[in-house]
Amino acid sequence: MQPYDGELGDAVARAQRGDETGFADAYRLVQPGLLGYLRGIVGDDAEDVASDAWLEIARDLGRFKGDGAGFRGWTATIARHRALDHLRRLRVRPRSAVLEPDVLELPGPHDTHDQALEALSTERALALVRTLPRDQAEAVLLRVVVGLDGPSAARVLGKSPGAVRTASHRGLRGLARRLTVRDGTDPAPGGPRTRGEPT
């Protein structure tokens, strides 16, 4: 749960009553993370895709039921659908993209993988995220950039929470391993490896 979810829930409730300021507040709170997520999927076309998503969000706002955290998940689902539609229209694989530096705030719990990520500059972190398999990259982007919890990210991706948790964990482990290799140090011999990783 993000610290601003209470404020977001209030803004959404006001927007649903027709308060334009409420909608503007909801947009202000959600757009940076949503745009960062979309940049990770569609690259330079993220703003156009986000605009399409917000048109749909505005149109269907009256049907939304839930709190601030639920609204973030709902908007991420809509944005992902618009992004996948966009990619189908282009008939290309997702392009690598650079997220806006202020969008990606790496997590801070006392976890080895998170600590490794915190040591990265935003640019290095994004370059490493782009090297992950798509399912891992999306899971990391939804959890870190959009700030969704595991079950919410799972609903966005249409997967089980366990699958998203595994993809996110593998992605973070992969990022930590790549960081270690790029810094010229070897991972600790016999250290833990993610299942399925090459030895």
Side-chain angles (χ1 to χ4, degrees):
M1 183 169 188
Q2 295 293 310
Y4 59 80
D5 278 346
E7 179 184 357
L8 177 57
D10 176 64
V12 170
R14 287 186 287 119
Q16 289 180 315
R17 294 192 298 267
D19 180 351
E20 290 181 15
T21 304
F23 189 83
D25 289 344
Y27 177 89
R28 174 183 52 81
L29 292 167
V30 171
Q31 175 67 356
L34 203 63
L35 189 59
Y37 172 62
L38 289 171
R39 283 194 191 283
I41 300 174
V42 300
D44 293 336
D45 296 333
E47 292 194 20
D48 292 338
V49 173
S51 294
D52 290 344
W54 279 104
L55 286 174
E56 185 173 340
I57 291 163
R59 184 193 71 206
D60 295 342
L61 184 62
R63 296 201 310 240
F64 170 75
K65 291 185 181 4
D67 58 8
F71 186 74
R72 283 188 297 110
W74 183 67
T75 57
T77 299
I78 290 172
R80 183 172 191 264
H81 289 162
R82 296 295 66 77
L84 295 177
D85 288 346
H86 178 77
L87 292 173
R88 277 192 285 273
R89 281 193 303 271
L90 293 179
R91 300 256 190 255
V92 296
R93 294 176 58 98
R95 295 191 301 265
S96 294
V98 176
L99 302 180
E100 306 225 351
D102 58 314
V103 170
L104 182 60
E105 292 183 14
L106 297 170
H110 300 294
D111 179 285
T112 304
H113 306 109
D114 294 343
Q115 289 172 351
L117 286 174
E118 284 179 330
L120 294 172
S121 68
T122 300
E123 293 77 16
R124 286 183 69 202
L126 297 175
L128 290 177
V129 168
R130 290 192 300 271
T131 68
L132 295 174
R134 182 173 173 183
D135 65 324
Q136 294 177 17
E138 268 202 275
V140 170
L141 288 168
L142 283 170
R143 297 296 306 275
V144 176
V145 178
V146 179
L148 297 182
D149 61 18
S152 297
R155 283 191 294 276
V156 171
L157 296 173
K159 297 183 177 186
S160 71
V164 171
R165 188 170 43 253
T166 298
S168 179
H169 177 72
R170 287 181 177 170
L172 291 172
R173 288 287 303 267
L175 291 174
R177 190 178 63 255
R178 285 169 172 84
L179 174 61
T180 302
V181 170
R182 286 186 180 195
D183 285 346
T185 57
D186 291 327
R193 294 183 187 277
T194 300
R195 200 176 311 147
E197 289 179 359
T199 57

